[in-house]
Amino acid sequence: MRIVMIGTGYVGLVSGACFADFGHHVTCVDKDKSKIDALLDGKIPIFEPGLDALVESNVASGRLDFTLDIASVLPEADAVFIAVGTPSRRGDGHADLSYVYAAAEEMAPLLRDGVVVVDKSTVPVGTGDEVEAIIKRTNPSLEFSVASNPEFLREGAAINDFKRPDRVVIGVNDDHAEAVLQEVYRPLTRNDAQLLSMSRRAAELTKYAANAFLATKISFINEIADLCEKVGADVRDVAKGIGSDSRIGARFLQPGPGYGGSCFPKDTLALLKTGQDYGAPLQIVDSVVQVNNRRKLAMGQKVIDAMGGDTHSKTVALLGLTFKANTDDMRDSPAIDIVKTLKDAGITVRAYDPEGMDTSKAVIDGLTYCENSYDAMTGADATVIVTEWDAFRALDLDRAKELLKRPLLVDLRNLYSRTDVEKHGFEYVAVGR
Ligand code: NAD
Ligand code: UGA
């Protein structure tokens, strides 16, 4: 099977490399010359564990390559995946589909009969219809199908998620598209992965419903964490107590500084917009978005409160900037709001992140970027763990105490036990405990 991946970002590069690893021949295309040049030079433009080795071995086997030139590869393709970005449209929260539609326009004259165009980007219901219309308009005699195959991988665990998915959703309106996608994913079905076939529209909506439901679980446990703090219960016990009910499930019940990332924030907004457009308002999702926005803003104040409200000439060490561990992605990271609140209060912020420093520099300025955790903590009045990187799980607290002006640890990811931290002479503030 010859596959072309349009868009070589987090999803396109991981999916392309995994498809190649399954044995398909894959060409990843991007408009960003620096990305393609880096890949052709053997460099991976993003941080994703295991991706460098996977790309290297598949390039070496001749099954994976990269190009800026779609005209050189599209005429041979059996399946063309669209994996371009669908960010929030400024102003109304609707998904910005301009990259998807531009990709459809560009590919239309170059496709061959029998090709299946597969949308892997997260797109609102009906986008597949529009992609089909664009291709038909530009190339009326072409025989082709348009399918939806939303992606459920998480950054930081992307390769494992892709290769061992709970399910693969295939949204098709014709048998040919179904047969081609079955063939693309056949290596996975050998591992008993579920392939769920449904209509294109159902597949498009499934992706948003999944992300909105996961975001709901997180906002729910974050509110329960707030209540725990008031009533004197430990949210970890409550999460375990409810999560062990298989109808609820234990995952995505970790309280924290609010969800961020390239997807939950924008996808919940886009789903709300779809609900409005179709006259079926989604009040639960609306509340989830509001709870999360408020939470991200409240976290900086939580730090200030932990310091006793005194912000004069104070310095805070921030450990972690990315929206979660094992990624360099800063999109909608809670760190952005936390830094803003601290800086607005006149606090100096010293920060360190194992992989996110470069991406952060493009998003947050006015910080002192530090060499490591201990450098960040030097002279600080409080240390805040924002991201659950492994590097922050076993800090040398004795060394930290020597460096800090005040041994106060605000642990927004609940990485530590209160007794352990207090044993080292620290004050400890966590989430929902
Ligand atoms: P990204 O921004 O990392 O990558 C998108 C890439 O597409 C960019 O490199 C851009 O240059 C390229 N591009 C845009 N238009 C192009 C065109 N016409 N031709 C060639 N290349 C083009 O985005 P991402 O995080 O990979 O997300 C892609 C889609 O997948 C989004 O819809 C997102 O919601 C969805 N998704 C993302 C994740 C994730 O973990 N990041 C997971 C599941 C689904
Ligand atoms: C999420 C989904 O988990 C993927 O299934 C989906 O494919 C992807 O969005 C997408 O559509 O792009 P991702 O954003 O990479 O993946 O990361 P998650 O692990 O889901 O974390 C998202 C945010 O929720 C992070 O800020 C994380 O810290 C937070 N989170 C997650 C919690 O606060 N608590 C939890 O229990 C889980």
Side-chain angles (χ1 to χ4, degrees), residues 152-155 207 211 252 254 260 263 323-324 413:
F152 298 98
L153 64 79
R154 288 162 304 158
E155 290 179 21
K207 173 65 195 175
N211 274 1
F252 278 71
Q254 303 263 11
C263 292
F323 78 98
K324 60 184 270 190
R413 296 288 184 167

Side-chain angles (χ1 to χ4, degrees), residues 163-244:
K163 289 191 160 185
R164 276 169 275 279
D166 289 338
R167 80 313 202 179
V168 173
V169 168
I170 290 176
V172 285
N173 289 354
D174 64 88
D175 293 344
H176 174 63
E178 159 115 36
V180 168
L181 278 166
Q182 292 274 356
E183 182 61 20
V184 167
Y185 281 104
R186 198 163 47 86
L188 277 186
T189 52
R190 292 217 183 103
N191 301 339
D192 288 338
Q194 276 196 85
L195 243 66
L196 303 178
S197 285
M198 56 184 77
S199 71
R200 205 161 62 195
R201 286 185 162 236
E204 289 168 337
L205 187 53
T206 296
K207 173 65 195 175
Y208 282 103
N211 274 1
F213 195 84
L214 292 169
T216 302
K217 277 187 100 172
I218 298 167
S219 278
F220 179 82
I221 202 67
N222 281 337
E223 285 201 315
I224 294 293
D226 288 346
L227 183 58
C228 283
E229 287 174 16
K230 303 275 185 211
V231 302
D234 188 326
V235 69
R236 294 169 306 170
D237 294 335
V238 178
K240 216 178 270 169
I242 61 174
S244 51

Side-chain angles (χ1 to χ4, degrees), residues 55-320:
V55 168
E56 191 187 336
S57 66
N58 282 284
V59 168
S61 72
R63 287 194 302 269
L64 179 62
D65 52 28
F66 306 98
T67 184
L68 287 163
D69 175 22
I70 48 169
S72 64
V73 286
L74 278 181
E76 302 295 315
D78 302 301
V80 179
F81 283 77
I82 300 176
V84 299
T86 50
S88 261
R89 197 164 66 189
R90 221 167 266 175
D92 66 0
H94 195 284
D96 177 355
L97 297 173
S98 56
Y99 302 100
V100 173
Y101 295 152
E105 297 270 4
E106 288 159 24
M107 72 173 72
L110 301 164
L111 299 170
R112 70 164 180 201
D113 282 343
V115 70
V116 180
V117 175
V118 190
D119 179 45
K120 203 171 230 334
S121 296
T122 301
V123 293
V125 173
T127 304
D129 302 355
E130 185 55 27
V131 167
E132 193 171 288
I134 290 170
I135 297 174
K136 224 174 243 164
R137 220 165 33 230
T138 317
N139 192 344
S141 61
L142 182 75
E143 286 172 28
F144 70 104
S145 310
V146 174
S148 163
N149 169 223
E151 182 49 59
F152 298 98
L153 64 79
R154 288 162 304 158
E155 290 179 21
I159 295 168
N160 191 57
D161 283 353
F162 195 92
K163 289 191 160 185
R164 276 169 275 279
D166 289 338
R167 80 313 202 179
V168 173
V169 168
I170 290 176
V172 285
N173 289 354
D174 64 88
D175 293 344
H176 174 63
E178 159 115 36
V180 168
L181 278 166
Q182 292 274 356
E183 182 61 20
V184 167
Y185 281 104
R186 198 163 47 86
L188 277 186
T189 52
R190 292 217 183 103
N191 301 339
D192 288 338
Q194 276 196 85
L195 243 66
L196 303 178
S197 285
M198 56 184 77
S199 71
R200 205 161 62 195
R201 286 185 162 236
E204 289 168 337
L205 187 53
T206 296
K207 173 65 195 175
Y208 282 103
N211 274 1
F213 195 84
L214 292 169
T216 302
K217 277 187 100 172
I218 298 167
S219 278
F220 179 82
I221 202 67
N222 281 337
E223 285 201 315
I224 294 293
D226 288 346
L227 183 58
C228 283
E229 287 174 16
K230 303 275 185 211
V231 302
D234 188 326
V235 69
R236 294 169 306 170
D237 294 335
V238 178
K240 216 178 270 169
I242 61 174
S244 51
D245 182 330
S246 61
R247 292 170 302 174
I248 295 173
R251 298 175 72 190
F252 278 71
L253 287 178
Q254 303 263 11
Y259 60 76
S262 64
C263 292
F264 287 170
K266 80 168 171 62
D267 291 347
T268 43
L269 287 182
L271 182 59
L272 283 179
K273 191 75 183 104
T274 303
Q276 277 167 19
D277 290 349
Y278 284 82
L282 298 161
Q283 293 178 37
I284 294 174
V285 182
D286 197 15
S287 301
V288 167
V289 170
Q290 290 181 43
V291 166
N292 195 61
N293 288 342
R294 278 200 299 271
R295 186 165 192 85
K296 290 206 279 190
L297 291 173
M299 288 299 111
Q301 190 57 46
K302 185 179 170 92
V303 176
I304 293 171
D305 291 348
M307 294 163 75
D310 178 12
T311 59
H312 182 67
S313 300
K314 293 289 183 278
T315 298
V316 165
L318 221 62
L319 302 188

